[in-house]
Amino acid sequence: MSDPKAKVVILGAGHAGGSMAAFLRQFGHEGPIVLIGDEPIPPYQRPPLSKAWLKGEADAASLALKDRAWYADNGCDLRLGVTATAVNRGDRTVTLSTGETLSYDILVFATGARARKLPVPGADLNGVLELRTAADAEQLKAALGPDRRLAIVGGGYVGLEAAASARALGAHAMVLERESRILARVACPQLSDFFTAYHQARGVRFELGVEIAGFEGEDGQVRRVRLADGRAVDCDAVLVGIGAIPNDDLARASGLECVNGIVVDLDARTADPAVFSIGDVTHRPLPLYDRMVRLESVPNALEQAKVAAGVIAGRPPLTPEVPWFWSDQFDLKLQIAGMPFDADAILVRGDPATAKFAIFHLKGDQIQAVEAVNSPPEFMMGKQLIGNRKPVSRERLADTTVSMKEVAA
Amino acid sequence: MAKITYIEHSGAEHTVDVKTGLSVMEGAIKNNVPGIDADCGGACACATCHVYVDAAFEGKTGEKSAMEESMLDFAENVEPNSRLSCQIKVTDELDGLIVRLPESQH
């Protein structure tokens, strides 16, 4: 039931919220749009923060999703530095940190996720940083430079991208990971091994299987990381990258169902027909895998922004996309399509020693996921094959003399 | 600054001024030109900023990298003048550039 004049209030001016405002206008929505963000700057791209931005290859203007003028020119009331403090779904109002109360016809939670904190002594010292926002990235950038020592807690994508950027700037990088391998939650062991070796060859050091006891400093500035086994790692700054927590508190308080994020359907709608939710904060269905998941990725934010805007604008439904991710580290481009749910076999196509290979996760003769390093054909064709469920021959998939187009033929 | 005309598959034309140094993709996104998705924001990771470069400008848009070539190979309806617009940097030389957009980026 679309209403082209409906007043849409979007909570959260990140990649999801900002894109949703743009899609609504692109799809011809005429009603007022209010976009509320707690950061001081208009919506921008976050992925470059750990890469091009740290290396000084991107500036605020190039990261912005839209020029500032776009919002006023398109009847989008952009409120920056403001948060919502309460949602009353009964009378369809939102209370803001300014004390103002806004009414809505449609409410969108695009509140994203926040960095998980490490609850240890010294976590509040200067120089103990996280990386979610442009302001975080600015602090990290200021801490990096030739011979500066960065300790990175958490061997996930954020940590590894920051490590690569730190090395590019001549800084030392030491990754401290609790698990016995990096990328433990998000990649298979073969990929972990490859990235560990690639980073080590470029000067990144790793301590695996270590617990952090705390951070120690002098004059309020962090100087070392204390490990639980008593050892200390000297540093000039610490980046804590140990995952993110969905910002679903307000939705939860308003009585919406939350399970590791706000529960939505394939239209990105909650159980309340007037309330949608998009992006990192959602717990969403993934029909391809017959599951509910929370995805932290730009493609997911864009897809849900487009889906929800389309529903509100009365456009025909979109086919659910295959989830995908990417990461740039040194000269490596990692592209991942799908998720390895229910896979019963792992098949490596190509030779990791050449830094050009792909790891396929198979369930019988179907591809569930592909992790492609410097291998666009494997990623692009793999993504198609995941989406259309076409069976493949394992023998041909493993044979690099058979092109991906032939594999899929 | 270069004037760039984006022509949607429907024939709708959008002529906008794009700052030098930005990419042809960024020029479209920042000016809300529909038809270029650019899901990855210019990382050459998604092939959703596919355009057809007008013949008069083919020599001025730079060479395709191996990565771009490889990504384009799997986009839909690829032609010899196909490019990923995130990989074309806007220069003064590109003033007047015309790019046509495919029917869909997915």
Side-chain angles (χ1 to χ4, degrees):
Chain A
M1 223 58 74
S2 74
D3 171 5
K5 307 275 189 213
K7 178 179 177 183
V8 182
V9 174
I10 304 170
L11 304 181
H15 217 128
S19 302
M20 171 129 183
F23 282 128
L24 279 168
R25 286 298 179 241
Q26 194 178 315
F27 296 165
H29 185 73
E30 295 165 17
I33 299 173
V34 187
L35 182 56
I36 294 166
D38 58 354
E39 292 180 63
I41 54 174
Y44 58 91
Q45 300 184 53
R46 292 188 204 279
L49 293 180
S50 50
K51 316 170 190 110
W53 174 271
L54 280 189
K55 291 189 275 177
E57 295 162 2
D59 58 21
S62 69
L63 292 197
L65 290 190
K66 300 284 177 203
D67 289 334
R68 186 71 179 246
W70 182 88
Y71 299 92
D73 293 349
N74 288 276
C76 178
D77 181 3
L78 180 62
R79 311 275 186 97
L80 297 174
V82 174
T83 51
T85 55
V87 168
N88 185 328
R89 294 191 293 117
D91 51 11
R92 293 194 181 174
T93 57
V94 177
T95 308
L96 304 182
S97 51
T98 55
E100 191 185 348
T101 298
L102 286 180
S103 66
Y104 66 82
D105 299 312
I106 291 168
L107 182 68
V108 183
F109 282 95
T111 42
R114 59 183 179 273
R116 188 184 294 279
K117 310 271 182 198
L118 198 60
V120 297
D124 55 351
L125 285 167
N126 288 331
V128 177
L129 309 173
E130 57 188 44
L131 185 47
R132 289 292 302 178
T133 66
D136 295 338
E138 200 51 45
Q139 285 194 352
L140 180 57
K141 194 176 178 177
L144 295 178
D147 287 327
R148 302 297 296 272
R149 297 161 303 174
L150 178 66
I152 299 167
V153 179
Y157 287 119
V158 167
L160 293 180
E161 288 177 1
S165 299
R167 292 301 296 149
L169 292 166
H172 301 284
M174 161 78 91
V175 176
L176 306 165
E177 167 60 50
R178 188 179 61 181
E179 303 293 331
S180 59
R181 63 182 177 97
I182 58 168
L183 300 173
R185 287 181 306 124
V186 289
C188 64
Q190 290 88 333
L191 200 62
S192 298
D193 291 348
F194 169 78
F195 274 102
T196 306
Y198 206 84
H199 276 256
Q200 280 173 333
R202 281 147 193 85
V204 177
R205 290 178 299 149
F206 292 88
E207 284 287 350
L208 303 175
V210 293
E211 288 281 347
I212 309 298
F215 303 114
E216 298 168 4
E218 286 152 25
D219 303 325
Q221 167 67 39
V222 70
R223 289 290 173 223
R224 70 195 71 83
V225 182
R226 181 67 63 184
L227 305 181
D229 61 15
R231 287 183 297 156
V233 175
D234 291 334
C235 63
D236 300 303
V238 177
L239 173 65
V240 179
I242 53 171
I245 302 168
N247 292 320
D248 59 5
D249 317 67
L250 198 58
R252 199 182 290 267
S254 79
L256 290 168
E257 187 190 3
C258 296
V259 182
N260 181 29
I262 303 171
V263 175
V264 294
D265 63 16
L266 274 178
D267 286 342
R269 205 192 291 251
T270 68
D272 179 339
V275 181
F276 290 78
S277 183
I278 59 175
D280 287 9
V281 74
T282 63
H283 187 63
R284 56 159 290 175
L286 210 50
L288 205 49
Y289 301 96
D290 198 20
R291 272 181 176 75
M292 297 286 290
V293 293
R294 191 170 73 78
L295 299 172
E296 288 172 12
S297 73
V298 167
N300 175 62
L302 286 174
E303 184 197 6
Q304 287 185 302
K306 196 185 277 184
V307 164
V311 171
I312 293 167
R315 288 166 64 101
L318 297 165
T319 327
E321 286 177 19
V322 175
W324 71 276
F325 314 84
W326 83 93
S327 177
D328 294 318
Q329 296 164 41
F330 300 108
D331 53 352
L332 301 175
K333 181 172 294 296
L334 169 67
Q335 294 163 295
I336 300 174
M339 305 190 80
F341 292 129
D342 309 322
D344 54 50
I346 282 177
L347 183 154
V348 180
R349 176 179 163 92
D351 180 5
T354 63
K356 187 174 157 59
F357 66 102
I359 300 173
F360 288 89
H361 298 255
L362 297 156
K363 176 188 174 190
D365 54 8
Q366 282 183 348
I367 301 172
Q368 297 294 88
V370 56
E371 297 159 314
V373 174
N374 291 343
S375 299
E378 281 69 15
F379 167 71
M380 293 292 278
M381 198 48 91
K383 186 160 171 267
Q384 279 182 31
L385 290 167
I386 293 164
N388 65 24
R389 313 264 73 187
K390 203 167 161 183
V392 294
S393 146
R394 291 189 184 191
E395 290 69 33
R396 289 167 67 80
L397 188 59
D399 182 353
T400 51
T401 66
V402 181
S403 78
M404 281 307 292
K405 286 186 178 174
E406 291 167 319
V407 168
Chain B
M1 199 75 94
K3 216 171 256 315
I4 300 182
T5 301
Y6 302 84
I7 306 178
E8 289 184 66
H9 193 257
S10 66
E13 292 190 14
H14 306 263
T15 300
V16 298
D17 289 319
V18 183
K19 260 188 269 181
T20 51
L22 290 182
S23 68
V24 171
M25 174 278 284
E26 288 172 315
I29 296 297
K30 287 185 196 300
N31 291 289
N32 231 30
V33 173
I36 290 183
D37 291 350
D39 288 354
C40 75
C44 199
C46 70
T48 63
C49 63
H50 178 197
V51 299
Y52 304 107
V53 174
D54 188 78
F57 287 87
E58 275 191 75
K60 298 178 180 171
T61 50
E63 291 290 309
K64 277 179 261 193
S65 68
M67 182 66 77
E68 179 185 350
E69 194 105 43
S70 195
M71 289 297 291
L72 261 177
D73 197 27
F74 291 85
E76 304 261 316
N77 304 314
V78 176
E79 301 288 341
N81 61 339
S82 286
R83 291 294 307 269
L84 294 181
S85 56
C86 72
Q87 301 300 307
I88 307 175
K89 280 272 176 251
V90 175
T91 59
D92 293 334
E93 248 204 320
L94 290 185
D95 190 36
L97 174 69
I98 299 169
V99 294
R100 292 180 177 77
L101 311 185
E103 188 169 8
S104 158
Q105 295 286 357
H106 286 270

